Amino acid sequence: MAVRAIVVYPHPVLTTPTREVETVDDDLRALVNDMIETMRAERGVGLAANQVGQSVRLMVVDVSAGEDPEALTVLVNPRVVETSGRQNGEEGCLSFPGIFENITRPQRVVVEATRLDGQSVRVEGEDFFARALLHEIDHLDGIVFLQRMSPLKRRLVQRQIRRLKQAGQWPESVMPDATASTEG
Ligand code: NI
């Protein structure tokens, strides 16, 4: 297992829809292990494969941020099949270091996916778990949380990123260490 570098916005892999996983092989299992290790190193609550530069429909999520081994969920080819309600809350993203904004999302979600062992799985999430699932599935669809902000917020954040870039303070990628907090 190895920690992988996290790709930072606006890398095109983040805004390109990922391709479906066709077979679960050793390479894919190795990628999953690396994604888990990378998420843990960043104290993240979720990670999509394209955030480590691999454009495949694969995600890991752990809303306990490593506290509860049972909370780790690996989803292959996840699809949102149902949403309901509405919630507003602060979100971060490992591909937008230091950026936190309120994002409105459904309060509840049902996701269908495949597990690593090939079994179909139906995952229901509410509240923060729903938010994490929706954030990561957005990544796999090539959608970043910037696109979920109001037009005004989006412009402000884009301006902030532009300024950080000009100041040489916006990286192209982040090599995780153990200093970050709960972001997805
Ligand atoms: Ni994210």
Side-chain angles (χ1 to χ4, degrees):
M1 298 224 295
V3 167
R4 298 199 188 191
I6 294 170
V7 169
V8 168
Y9 180 84
H11 193 294
V13 78
L14 293 173
T15 45
T16 305
T18 55
R19 65 170 195 279
E20 294 270 322
V21 173
E22 282 169 22
T23 46
V24 175
D25 55 15
D26 287 346
D27 284 348
L28 194 91
R29 278 185 281 268
L31 173 60
V32 168
N33 286 335
D34 287 357
M35 284 170 62
I36 293 167
E37 195 172 331
T38 303
M39 175 176 67
R40 296 265 193 261
E42 280 285 333
R43 306 273 191 274
V45 296
L47 193 66
N50 48 339
Q51 289 186 277
V52 293
Q54 301 298 308
S55 192
V56 289
R57 201 163 179 90
L58 168 71
M59 60 171 275
V60 296
V61 62
D62 174 4
V63 290
S64 83
E67 297 297 314
D68 174 10
E70 305 271 294
L72 177 66
T73 307
V74 177
L75 298 176
V76 178
N77 298 334
R79 293 276 172 203
V80 171
V81 294
E82 202 183 307
T83 59
S84 59
R86 225 165 98 103
Q87 58 169 319
N88 192 270
E90 191 176 69
E91 243 174 72
C93 179
L94 296 174
S95 296
F96 289 77
I99 307 282
F100 296 89
E101 285 296 338
N102 277 350
I103 308 282
T104 300
R105 293 198 185 266
Q107 188 268 334
R108 179 178 163 274
V109 66
V110 179
V111 172
E112 285 178 359
T114 306
R115 295 192 315 213
L116 273 184
D117 63 8
Q119 296 292 308
S120 297
V121 63
R122 191 177 161 92
V123 179
E124 292 189 29
E126 288 190 354
D127 305 324
F128 188 67
F129 186 41
R131 176 177 295 284
L133 288 166
L134 289 159
H135 179 113
E136 300 313 328
I137 293 172
D138 265 359
H139 272 304
L140 299 176
D141 289 331
I143 296 167
V144 291
F145 82 149
L146 192 65
Q147 288 156 270
R148 298 294 185 195
M149 294 174 194
S150 67
L152 175 66
K153 277 274 180 60
R154 192 183 314 144
R155 278 197 300 275
L156 289 172
V157 169
Q158 278 168 328
R159 189 182 308 158
Q160 188 183 350
I161 292 171
R162 216 162 35 239
R163 286 197 183 127
L164 287 166
K165 238 188 225 167
Q166 282 162 0
Q169 290 166 1
W170 187 257
E172 287 180 7
S173 67
V174 172
M175 200 60 202
D177 56 31
T179 58
S181 60
T182 49
E183 295 168 58

